[in-house]
């Protein structure tokens, strides 16, 4: 049993090196096995195929990131529902979802990205050809769904049907912008300290822009 754990661990370490260096499409399972000192049969004992091997490297990190985001969305949804029900004004919502609260969740995301920087870079830059290659677009879709619900409530609309073409365009753009901010930080900042510092300006921009759009007649 210990030997199996060590073999699997070695395969994952060698796979991380291979995928990081060559990307998903050009990575060779034969090279991974050679570096790990095992046969291809040993690899297939632990992993169904190349994509399953790649997923074993990134899935836990991705699930953890999704959990942080989902928990934040749940908290925002409670306040947004209060707004939609007439129990809270936009000003009160803005105060409830203050800058410090938004910064706190933003910092937690930035810290998570840097804690798992090697895996995040693998997802963002080396996953082409795998089922993870459109992960950024999937995150945009998740944010857009949440932003749409918030936008409807904050604009005082009764349903999604009242959204205009212009509304949908700006919601989609803001969703992309939100994800691009975190991608930019993860790929351009040298360390978590720099990432957190830059995030303050970016969050000020995002929050100001959001309420600017909401309050625009």
């Amino acid at each position: 049993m210990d030997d199996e754990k060590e073999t699997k661990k070695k395969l994952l370490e060698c796979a991380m090196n291979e995928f990081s260096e060559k990307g998903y499409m050009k990575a060779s399972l034969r090279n991974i096995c050679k570096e790990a000192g095992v046969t291809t049969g040993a690899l297939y004992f632990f992993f169904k195929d190349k994509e399953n091997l790649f997923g074993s490297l990134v899935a836990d990190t991705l699930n953890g990131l999704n959990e942080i985001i989902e928990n934040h969305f749940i908290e925002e949804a409670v306040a947004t529902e209060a707004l939609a029900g007439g129990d809270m004004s936009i000003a009160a919502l803005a105060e409830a979802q203050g800058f410090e609260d938004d910064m706190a969740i933003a910092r937690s995301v930035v810290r998570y990205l840097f804690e798992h920087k090697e895996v995040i870079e693998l997802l963002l830059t080396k996953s082409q050809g795998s089922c993870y290659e459109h992960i950024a677009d999937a995150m945009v879709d998740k944010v857009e769904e949440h932003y749409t619900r918030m936008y409807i409530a904050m604009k005082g609309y009764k349903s999604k049907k009242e959204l205009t073409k212009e509304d949908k365009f700006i919601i989609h753009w803001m969703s992309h912008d939100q994800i691009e901010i975190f991608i930019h930080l993860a790929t351009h900042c040298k360390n978590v300290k720099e990432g957190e510092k830059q995030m303050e300006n970016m969050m000020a921009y995002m929050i100001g822009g959001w309420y600017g759009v909401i309050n625009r007649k």
Side-chain angles (χ1 to χ4, degrees), residues 68 103-117 120 182 192-193 195-196 199:
I68 293 174
M103 270 305 303
I105 183 63
R107 288 191 193 98
S108 69
V109 172
V110 171
R111 288 168 185 165
Y112 189 86
L113 294 178
F114 277 90
E115 285 172 7
H116 303 84
K117 188 172 177 61
I120 295 299
F182 287 105
V192 66
K193 185 176 180 180
E196 289 182 343
M199 175 55 71

Side-chain angles (χ1 to χ4, degrees), residues 34 48 57 107 156 197-198:
K34 182 179 178 180
K48 180 180 178 181
L57 294 171
R107 288 191 193 98
K197 183 176 181 181
Q198 294 294 351

Side-chain angles (χ1 to χ4, degrees), residues 119-164:
V119 175
I120 295 299
E121 289 184 345
L122 199 65
L123 277 166
L124 294 176
T125 65
K126 303 294 183 177
S127 62
Q128 290 78 9
S130 76
C131 64
Y132 296 92
E133 70 173 310
H134 299 299
I135 190 60
D137 291 332
M139 297 299 285
V140 169
D141 290 341
K142 184 187 295 289
V143 172
E144 185 171 357
E145 182 180 350
H146 176 66
Y147 275 6
T148 298
R149 290 193 295 268
M150 288 183 63
Y151 192 94
I152 289 170
M154 296 176 78
K155 278 290 191 180
Y157 295 162
K158 298 299 181 183
S159 71
K160 193 174 182 178
K161 293 179 180 179
E162 293 186 56
L163 291 171
T164 66

Side-chain angles (χ1 to χ4, degrees), residues 140-141 143-152 155 157 160 163-178 206 210 213-214:
V140 169
D141 290 341
V143 172
E144 185 171 357
E145 182 180 350
H146 176 66
Y147 275 6
T148 298
R149 290 193 295 268
M150 288 183 63
Y151 192 94
I152 289 170
K155 278 290 191 180
Y157 295 162
K160 193 174 182 178
L163 291 171
T164 66
K165 182 178 180 180
E166 289 74 19
D167 289 331
K168 294 175 183 178
F169 184 94
I170 196 65
I171 292 170
H172 183 69
W173 177 80
M174 288 191 294
S175 301
H176 262 287
D177 214 28
Q178 179 74 84
M206 281 298 298
W210 175 265
V213 169
I214 294 297

Side-chain angles (χ1 to χ4, degrees), residues 42-55:
L43 185 147
Y44 285 114
F45 175 79
F46 295 105
F47 308 103
K48 180 180 178 181
D49 50 27
K50 187 178 185 180
E51 192 162 77
N52 180 238
L53 174 58
F54 189 86

